[in-house]
Structures are given as structure tokens and as C-alpha cells.
């Protein structure tokens, strides 16, 4: 069901809920409607959803996990040297620190190796293996990378190194000559471990090691790093991810890790229950900033340092680097936006934007912002230190960008990634060819797809329902993220009692929907509004912690000027719906035929089948007009 509330965003409203689908559980009916629409059987699955059951033995799902575990335990007992080879993003860094911390406690001599984004690019490489061998290290564990590092794998074999790869990127069609592979693709079809990010695999390995030697993993910071890396990498919150996050998120602000405590204090979130949004929008970007434009070993040092003075200095260095990252991002975004507008006006369906001088470390951030703005897959390219160009792609969720790159394999030096985000390297002379090829692929894939931006609210809600008990129940069905997104609610006919602009073109409002009053904020608000205007809004419900006052507020995603008559599109047909003075609903089709909810008004020429269908339309109209959740 769609509403024609605007040209930029379509609101695709959910299907009606039958009364008998609601059940007698301790959950608000509006939130029940949210879960039902997400496919949760409240009678049979609710308890499992709220409190996930124990996970199966991971060694039954990863056939090489036992071998890897025993080799690592042997290395710890023998005080061997172990190299942990990670990556420079938040997933790779948290994975690295997680294993460095645990294996050091268990007796091994552990050294982290992170590639330079500017000089080496992504993942395990031959130079790294040579460096490891020169330090007489014979056991290497990769985290969040390694699956496609064929040259490095070959070199490790030549040098007699035991290589354990833990990764979650796509397994290539090539036999890997390594000691052990721990990868979610190798698990059974319905495995709860299927959705683990790099840090999830590292955490699973760590838990398995601790289980074998009867060591309490909670003594370490492993569960905290799992949360940060999983949310930062936008891993689906299903299966093991959901269970472990529900267990571990509440423990973050109780951590004894000096580096994490220092970051949370400087972000002023140390006295609150940490949410997935705190990690996704505050902690993770800070970690990523260091890997993007600086030395990722800085953040590793912060998370492993025991000196209070060093931790303070390292924290300040990280925040300074993040400020510089924001400055660079703003500059690149302005330039990229100018190029993107020209590409968009030329009817390009895949935006490929390149400039030699852009910083390779922040092109992924800008690509995501351009993709969001134009709702088109976007690639940003910048020159790296080796003279070639590095590219970062973000999708509009309507095109699998890793598969698109695979079709362009002959033009690329290397490529990899996921359906929503990917990276590649390319010679300068092939960029124009890539631009044309990606545009052809996008035109083919988008042939029958509507590219208008849309939002999909989960349920209608009136303001008098929004209180702290409702918010408590809302957090109960979290944590929220990929495959369990934060619920979007909507409300109709909200009067603006007060409105003013904040710095940065953000709007702060006080709204009343006829039943109650609540504060709301609209980030980057471009719509013209004034006091007494009536608006329809789609929004998140959140806690505003400004000045340590915890108050409920609406975080508005989209605003429409209110109209008494709502247009519905069902099966390619348009219908006008409105509330009459009697509170009955009047529905009119494109032919001018009409029907009211109390049957008091009806076109004489409606046949029996049309009347039956009109009653079906009525159930959708109740939602669109705010008469049902």
C-alpha cells in the first residue's frame, strides 16, 4: 500500500493486522503489530525472540574450528609467537584487539599486524608475511580478511607458517592451502552463525578456546569488542549476533578497558546504557577515522594500554584525527556532489566519481552519502600511493555491487566486498570504461524498478501511547540494526505548537496530535514550516540526553503537509480516502464510485464483488487515516 504524500519520498504503509493475530502477551499492541509484520509468530516465537535460546556447539557447525582451537591453545601453552593480521576498519581492529588481548593473557607472545590503507591496501599481503617470518613467527591468524590473499597464502606455505584464516567475505572458487579456515559460509544452511562479521568469527574462536581450557572470557574485553565490531560492520542482527548482542550490550558501560572507558567519557555516554546507535554513530566512526586517515595501530594501542596518562593522550589523538576526518569528508563531499549532480542530470544510473587528489581513506563515507542523496549506487575513486586508483562503492540496496564488480573483473586490478558495499583498485586508463560498464549494468538491473526514495513505516501511533513504559518495551524487541531495523512509526494531523532552527539547518519542534504533546527534531530540515501548520510525520522514538535530562522525543525522518484526503494505491489502482464528520470513512475510486464504512453511503452501481473489495480497501484506509495501528 502506497500513499501519495510527496514527490521525494513515498510512504509504503504496511498491511492491516487481523484482530485475532494479536495475542495476550506483555507487549503493547502497536509493538505486537510491528513484530507480526516482521514475520514473528507471537504465540510460538515471542519468547525465543526476546530471550534467544542457547546456541549449538560451534565445532558442529565449523568443521575446522577444533583443529584451529587446539593449535592456538598449544601455542599459548608453549609461549609461542602469534601474529594477528587484521584490517584497518572497526570490524578488523576490534577483531584484532580481541584476540591480541585474550591470547596474551593465555601466555602467547602476540603481535598485531594491520596493513596501511594508503601504502598496502586491504588485507593480508606478501610483505606482511615476509615481515612476520623475519620475526620468527610460525602461527598467523587473520581476522576479517585473508580469504582472497592468494599470494600471501602461497608465501606462508613456502615459509612454513601455519595460517588460520577467519573471515566472512565471499569464499573464492579456489582451493586454499592453509592450516585452517573458519568462515560462516562453511556452516549448515540454517546455522545461527551464518551472519557473523569478522569480529563475530574472532569472538566465536575466542569463546571456543576459553571453553576448552575452562577460562572465563568475561575477564577480557572480548564481549565489548564483539558488540562494537558487529554493529560497526552492519552485520545482520539474527542468530548468534542477536543473542550475543542482547547479552553483551548491557555490559559495555561497565567495562574495565581503559581505552573504551576513556572514549565513552569523552563522548559523554559513560553514564548511560549504551545502545546500538551509540556504537554505530559515535564509537565506530571514531575507530574508523583512525584507520581511514592515520595509523590504525594508534587505536590498537589505546585499547590495549594500561597507563592512564597514555590512554588520555591516545584518546585525544583519536578525537583530533576524527575532527580532521570530518573536515576532509566535508571538502570531498562538496566536490563529489557537484560531479554527481552533472552525472545525475545526464541520466546516469550508477554514479562513478573520481578525483586524483581525494583522500582514499574517506571516499567510502562520501560514497555512502551520495548514494543516499540520489538513491543510486555510487563509486568514489581516489589515487593511492602506488599510482593506481582505489574505489569505494555503496549501493542503493537495489543492486548487488559486489556482483556488479565481478562483471567488470577484466577492467580491475582487484575487487571485493559485499552486496551493499565493496572496494576495488583500477588503473587510471580504465576508469571511463568502468563508468560505462557499471552504468550499463545499472540500467539493466533497474529496468523495471521504481527508483523513487521510499520509507516503510511499521505502525501508526498516537502521541498519548508514547511514554517511558512504551520505550522500555520498544528496547526489549531490540537491539536494532540490519535485518532488525529500528521501528518507524507515523502520526497524522500533528499541529506545530512551536518551531525553531538549530545550528546546521536542523528543526526543533513541539507537536500536538490532538491527544498529547511531544518534542521532535528533524535533522537537515529543508521543508518550509511554521507554527500552527498541520503535518503528517514518520519518525523514530528515542531518548534525548541533552544536558543529562532523559526526555522522550521523536526523531523525524519525513514530513508531509497534512491533507484530509489520502490517496491509496492498491493493485495499480488509486483510491481517495477521507474521514467524514461522523468519523466514518469514505472511499472513492478513479471512476467516481464511492463507499462508506457504515454502508450509509454507496454508489448505486456497485456490484456485489465491488462491495466486497471495497471492504478490503477499508482495512487499508483505516491504517492510512490513523484509525488502526
Amino acid at each position: 500500500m502506497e500513499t501519495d504524500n510527496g514527490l521525494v519520498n513515498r510512504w509504503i504503509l504496511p498491511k492491516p493486522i487481523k484482530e485475532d493475530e494479536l495475542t495476550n502477551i506483555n507487549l503493547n499492541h502497536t509493538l505486537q503489530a510491528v513484530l507480526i509484520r516482521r514475520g514473528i509468530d507471537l504465540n510460538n516465537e515471542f519468547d525465543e525472540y526476546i530471550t534467544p535460546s542457547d546456541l549449538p556447539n560451534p565445532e558442529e557447525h565449523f568443521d575446522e574450528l577444533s583443529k584451529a582451537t587446539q593449535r592456538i591453545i598449544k601455542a599459548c601453552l608453549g609461549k609461542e609467537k602469534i601474529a594477528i593480521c587484521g584490517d584497518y576498519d572497526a570490524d578488523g581492529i576490534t577483531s584484532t584487539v580481541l584476540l591480541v588481548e585474550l591470547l596474551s593473557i593465555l601466555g602467547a607472545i602476540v603481535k598485531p599486524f594491520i596493513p596501511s590503507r594508503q601504502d598496502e591496501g586491504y588485507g593480508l599481503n606478501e610483505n606482511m608475511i615476509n615481515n612476520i617470518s623475519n620475526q620468527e613467527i610460525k602461527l598467523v591468524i587473520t581476522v576479517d580478511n585473508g580469504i582472497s590473499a592468494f599470494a600471501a597464502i602461497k608465501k606462508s606455505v613456502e615459509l612454513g607458517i601455519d595460517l588460520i584464516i577467519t573471515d566472512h567475505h565471499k569464499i573464492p572458487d579456489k582451493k586454499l592451502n592453509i592450516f585452517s579456515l573458519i568462515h560462516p559460509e562453511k556452516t549448515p544452511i540454517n546455522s545461527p552463525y551464518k551472519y557473523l562479521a569478522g569480529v563475530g568469527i574472532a569472538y566465536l574462536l575466542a569463546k571456543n578456546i576459553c571453553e576448552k581450557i575452562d577460562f572465563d572470557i568475561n575477564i577480557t574485553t572480548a564481549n565489548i569488542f564483539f558488540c562494537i565490531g558487529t554493529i560497526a560492520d552492519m552485520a545482520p542482527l539474527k542468530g548468534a549476533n542477536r543473542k550475543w548482542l542482547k547479552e553483551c550490550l548491557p555490559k559495555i558501560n561497565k567495562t574495565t578497558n581503559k581505552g573504551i572507558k576513556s572514549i565513552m567519557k569523552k563522548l559523554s555516554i559513560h553514564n548511560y546504557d549504551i545502545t546500538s546507535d551509540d556504537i554505530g554513530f559515535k564509537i565506530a566512526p571514531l575507530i574508523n577515522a583512525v584507520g581511514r586517515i592515520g595509523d590504525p595501530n594508534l587505536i590498537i594501542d589505546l585499547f590495549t594500554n594500561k597507563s592512564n596518562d597514555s590512554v588520555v593522550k591516545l584518546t585525544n589523538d583519536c578525537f583530533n584525527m576524527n575532527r580532521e576526518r570530518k573536515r576532509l569528508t566535508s571538502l570531498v563531499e562538496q566536490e563529489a556532489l557537484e560531479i554527481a549532480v552533472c552525472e545525475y542530470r545526464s541520466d546516469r544510473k550508477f554514479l562513478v566519481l573520481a578525483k586524483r587528489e581525494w583522500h582514499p581513506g574517506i571516499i567510502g563515507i562520501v560514497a555512502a552519502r551520495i548514494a543516499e542523496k540520489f538513491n543510486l549506487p555510487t563509486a568514489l575513486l581516489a589515487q593511492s600511493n602506488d599510482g593506481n586508483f582505489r574505489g569505494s562503492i555503496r549501493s542503493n540496496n537495489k543492486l548487488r555491487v559486489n556482483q556488479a564488480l565481478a562483471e567488470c573483473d577484466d577492467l580491475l586490478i582487484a575487487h571485493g566486498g559485499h552486496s551493499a558495499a565493496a572496494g576495488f583498485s583500477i588503473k587510471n586508463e580504465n576508469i571511463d570504461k568502468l563508468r560505462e560498464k557499471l552504468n550499463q549494468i545499472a540500467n539493466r538491473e533497474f529496468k523495471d524498478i521504481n527508483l523513487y526514495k521510499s520509507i516503510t513505516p511499521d505502525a501508526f501511533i498516537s502521541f498519548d501511547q508514547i511514554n517511558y513504559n512504551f520505550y522500555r518495551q520498544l528496547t526489549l524487541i531490540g537491539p536494532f540494526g540490519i535485518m532488525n531495523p529500528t521501528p518507524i512509526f507515523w502520526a497524522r494531523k500533528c499541529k506545530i505548537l512551536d518551531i525553531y532552527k538549530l545550528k546546521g539547518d536542523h528543526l526543533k519542534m513541539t507537536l500536538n496530535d490532538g491527544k498529547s504533546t511531544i518534542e521532535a527534531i528533524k535533522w537537515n530540515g529543508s521543508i518550509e514550516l511554521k507554527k500552527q501548520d498541520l503535518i503528517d510525520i514518520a519518525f523514530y522514538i528515542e531518548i534525548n540526553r541533552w544536558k543529562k535530562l532523559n526526555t522522550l522525543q521523536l526523531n523525524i525522518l519525513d514530513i508531509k503537509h497534512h491533507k484530509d484526503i489520502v490517496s491509496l494505491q492498491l493493485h495499480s489502482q488509486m483510491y481517495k480516502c477521507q474521514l467524514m464528520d461522523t468519523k466514518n470513512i469514505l472511499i472513492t475510486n478513479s471512476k467516481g464510485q464511492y463507499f462508506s464504512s457504515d454502508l450509509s453511503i454507496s454508489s448505486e452501481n456497485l456490484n456485489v464483488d465491488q462491495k466486497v473489495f471495497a471492504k478490503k480497501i477499508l482495512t487499508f484506509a483505516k491504517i492510512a487515516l490513523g484509525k488502526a495501528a
Side-chain angles (χ1 to χ4, degrees), residues 330-344 351 353 358 366 369-370 373-374 380:
S330 179
L331 291 174
V332 173
E333 186 177 358
Q334 289 174 24
E335 295 179 347
L337 192 56
E338 292 178 10
I339 304 171
V341 168
C342 294
E343 293 273 294
Y344 184 77
L351 304 179
L353 320 173
W358 287 342
V366 179
R369 293 182 183 178
I370 301 294
K373 188 172 188 67
F374 292 94
L380 252 71

Side-chain angles (χ1 to χ4, degrees), residues 24 29 33 46 130 161 179 181 185 277 344 395 400 403 425 434 442 463 470 508 523 527 538 568:
N24 187 27
H29 278 194
F46 180 70
N130 284 327
I161 292 172
F179 183 86
L181 173 62
E185 272 187 34
D277 278 353
Y344 184 77
S395 177
R400 294 181 180 274
Q403 292 182 7
S425 54
L434 178 70
F463 293 170
F470 180 88
K508 184 73 174 176
W523 303 106
I527 188 170
L568 293 183

Side-chain angles (χ1 to χ4, degrees), residues 38 276-277 458 474 480-481 484-489 539-541 557:
R38 293 185 178 187
S276 52
D277 278 353
D458 291 271
L474 177 62
F480 300 116
N484 189 40
T486 306
I488 300 172
F489 301 95
F539 53 89
Y540 298 129
I541 299 170
L557 301 178

Side-chain angles (χ1 to χ4, degrees), residues 52-93:
S53 56
D54 291 341
L55 296 167
N57 181 351
E59 290 189 357
E60 295 175 0
H61 287 234
F62 297 86
D63 55 6
E64 297 181 32
L65 175 60
S66 177
K67 182 182 179 184
T69 300
Q70 295 303 326
R71 176 66 182 91
I72 295 167
I73 291 172
K74 178 186 173 186
C76 292
L77 292 174
K79 301 190 183 307
E80 289 184 45
K81 294 179 181 178
I82 302 176
I84 309 297
C85 298
D87 188 27
Y88 37 66
D89 68 358
D91 186 16
I93 287 173

